[in-house]
Amino acid sequence: SNGPTVSFPIGQLLSTCVDACQRGCHEIRKVQTAREQALRDSDNSNDDSKNEEEDNLQVQLKDPNDPRSALTLADQAAHQAIVTSLRQEWG
């Protein structure tokens, strides 16, 4: 034997994962909405909205040599929402 077997109620686990995913998607949509609003505001051409737009477009590269490693504000917000949701249910 390879140690004790742990079982999880699969229905509850899947439900929690779906909920966490929906929370992450909500965070991504909030960032996108803020970006779209900043773009509309920048059409009215004031410096504050341009700064807000730039904040919403910031991207960090996890690997500076790989553009596929981009990490955006939306990614970070979604990650936080997902992890928080899963931890609340499963510790």
Side-chain angles (χ1 to χ4, degrees):
S1 171
N2 292 334
T5 301
V6 178
S7 68
F8 290 96
I10 192 72
Q12 185 180 358
L13 177 61
L14 288 174
S15 176
T16 304
C17 289
V18 168
D19 179 65
C21 179
Q22 289 172 335
R23 290 170 189 258
C25 288
H26 176 75
E27 293 300 318
I28 291 169
R29 288 186 189 106
K30 278 181 18 182
V31 171
Q32 181 61 29
T33 299
R35 267 189 76 211
E36 290 169 355
Q37 183 63 48
L39 287 171
R40 284 191 295 274
D41 291 348
S42 71
D43 287 343
N44 297 334
S45 197
N46 93 31
D47 290 336
D48 291 338
S49 64
K50 288 181 182 177
N51 289 337
E52 185 178 330
E53 177 185 350
E54 288 172 8
D55 288 345
N56 287 329
L57 294 175
Q58 287 181 353
V59 174
Q60 293 176 310
L61 295 178
K62 293 181 271 185
D63 177 349
N65 299 316
D66 185 359
R68 296 174 299 170
S69 72
L71 181 65
T72 67
L73 181 64
D75 295 325
Q76 293 170 347
H79 173 83
Q80 185 62 43
I82 291 166
V83 169
T84 298
S85 180
L86 292 174
R87 282 189 177 146
Q88 284 175 343
E89 186 67 29
W90 299 99

